[in-house]
Amino acid sequence: MPLVNTKEMFKNAYDGGYAIGAFNVNNMEIMQGIVEACKELNSPVILQVSGSARKYAHHPYLYHMVQAAVEETGLPIALHLDHGSSFELCKDCIDGGFTSVMIDGSHLPYEENVELTRKVVEYAHARGVTVEGELGQLAGVEDEVSVEADKANYTDPDQVLDFVTRTGVDSLAIAIGTSHGAFKFKPGQKPQLRFDILREVMNRLPGFPIVLHGASSVMPEYVSVVNQYGGEMADAIGIPEDMLREAASLAVCKINVDSDLRLAMTAGIRRHLAENPKHFDPRQYLGDGRTCITEVVKHKIQNVLGSADRA
Ligand code: G3H
Ligand code: 13P
Ligand code: ZN
């Protein structure tokens, strides 16, 4: 099976009441760790690349590694641009073999977001590529841009039908209280998501796939390992898994996870080097990092996404 776009994945996920994991990829070990978990559990997956990951690892390397994953596993895999910041970046990714792109105009005035997103959709659809748009702004750090919590804003359900109709997007990222990074809530603050907004959006867009960014649960087992070996993550708080499961059973068809992968990889590497201070073969510590990535992704598929045996 060649790389796929997200159309059928999302239809199956919506109808089946589960979500597809969209995992950020920056290097070979992260990608192999994710794909190994999906292979073991027979799960479809979205491998997503941010603009800065593309700068770091370079487009041809990422593209060919994902092709290798498709060849090796035969799983339905989509290669997706995460937080596309311009038409030109989306176009480069589409021309270079990505099967899905996000155009993130969420920081723009509404009409400009509509115009930019519509332009990307026109280019993408003519080439069989699916497009994710965004309405509402999450707090946190993404692609080196930091959005203060008080500047973030929830998605306005009154805008979603107009946005989707006028742009033609295939899925929509909404802001309901998730945020990017490992520090999603202040210490002592009770994690909460605005399920009322999600349900309003569902009423306006029946059957339409919704995307949750900033959806790492910041798994305590990896936070504690990172802390044990000198990290400063004591105040890290993520989205509770039961909330993510509920979202996946509703219209949320794509759940984005990056911070949990970063934590797991770092935990594996820090532990390895602390326990084996004489090791200097990168395969030894990166191998442990990769194993931790596989553990996290298996955990997500089984406890959050519900996508096992849906390939
Ligand atoms: O939402 C952003 C992702 O976590 C990607 O982060 O731009 O540092 O690769 P990055
Ligand atoms: P986290 O920081 O919660 O992993 O979110 C990642 C994300 O939304 C990537 O687009
Ligand atoms: Zn994001």
Side-chain angles (χ1 to χ4, degrees):
M1 175 187 285
L3 274 174
V4 296
N5 67 25
T6 57
K7 197 93 199 159
E8 198 179 321
M9 274 186 189
F10 287 168
K11 181 172 183 341
N12 294 339
Y14 199 105
D15 294 346
Y18 64 93
I20 310 288
F23 298 100
N24 285 74
V25 170
N26 299 286
N27 66 19
M28 184 183 76
E29 282 76 11
I30 295 175
M31 203 194 70
Q32 289 179 330
I34 298 164
V35 168
E36 175 60 31
C38 296
K39 195 165 83 178
E40 282 181 39
L41 297 177
N42 194 31
S43 169
V45 67
I46 297 170
L47 298 173
Q48 60 185 10
V49 172
S50 68
S52 57
R54 191 165 168 268
K55 268 192 212 140
Y56 172 81
H58 304 297
H59 187 114
Y61 290 84
L62 292 162
Y63 174 76
H64 288 289
M65 283 194 301
V66 173
Q67 282 292 0
V70 170
E71 261 175 49
E72 202 202 351
T73 63
L75 292 171
I77 300 179
L79 174 56
H80 174 78
L81 171 65
D82 190 26
H83 293 285
S85 53
S86 66
F87 173 79
E88 289 69 28
L89 176 57
C90 293
K91 179 179 180 301
D92 273 3
C93 289
I94 294 165
D95 293 346
F98 280 43
T99 52
S100 175
V101 293
M102 173 189 194
I103 176 68
D104 183 356
S106 60
H107 54 287
L108 297 172
Y110 180 75
E111 285 300 327
E112 288 176 38
N113 188 2
V114 169
E115 185 49 34
L116 175 62
T117 306
R118 194 199 51 74
K119 190 174 164 193
V120 171
V121 169
E122 202 169 278
Y123 191 82
H125 282 184
R127 290 155 184 83
V129 170
T130 41
V131 180
E132 172 185 329
E134 179 165 350
L135 268 182
Q137 256 191 303
L138 275 65
V141 184
E142 71 194 38
D143 235 347
E144 294 153 13
V145 178
S146 172
V147 181
E148 298 293 327
D150 56 3
K151 299 237 169 54
N153 53 55
Y154 296 115
T155 301
D156 176 357
D158 285 339
Q159 290 182 329
V160 296
L161 180 58
D162 183 72
F163 186 81
V164 166
T165 311
R166 287 172 61 201
T167 59
V169 283
D170 303 280
S171 61
L172 182 68
I174 62 169
I176 58 167
T178 61
S179 63
H180 291 108
F183 302 87
K184 298 186 190 299
F185 301 96
K186 297 205 174 72
Q189 189 187 359
K190 192 166 169 272
Q192 263 178 339
L193 294 186
R194 293 286 304 271
F195 279 95
D196 57 321
I197 296 180
L198 174 58
R199 286 182 190 281
E200 281 291 326
V201 169
M202 289 171 67
N203 288 340
R204 305 306 208 264
L205 297 173
F208 192 81
I210 299 302
V211 177
L212 269 197
H213 282 248
S216 278
S217 42
V218 187
M219 293 167 67
E221 49 270 56
Y222 298 103
V223 172
S224 67
V225 174
V226 172
N227 273 333
Q228 186 185 347
Y229 297 114
E232 292 187 355
M233 309 287 301
D235 291 340
I237 306 175
I239 311 295
E241 289 186 347
D242 58 336
M243 293 186 192
L244 295 169
R245 271 198 302 277
E246 186 178 346
S249 75
L250 299 171
V252 171
C253 295
K254 173 172 179 272
I255 291 192
N256 282 15
V257 175
D258 188 2
S259 297
D260 273 325
L261 301 183
R262 294 177 181 196
L263 269 168
M265 181 113 194
T266 304
I269 293 170
R270 277 193 190 250
R271 184 170 47 205
H272 184 101
L273 291 174
E275 288 173 358
N276 304 278
K278 291 186 181 158
H279 280 182
F280 66 99
D281 180 341
R283 290 172 295 189
Q284 294 170 316
Y285 55 84
L286 291 178
D288 275 10
R290 181 172 63 184
T291 301
C292 288
I293 296 266
T294 300
E295 282 169 11
V296 166
V297 174
K298 281 168 76 172
H299 177 90
K300 298 279 170 194
I301 291 171
Q302 289 173 315
N303 298 285
V304 173
L305 302 162
S307 62
D309 286 326
R310 305 286 192 161

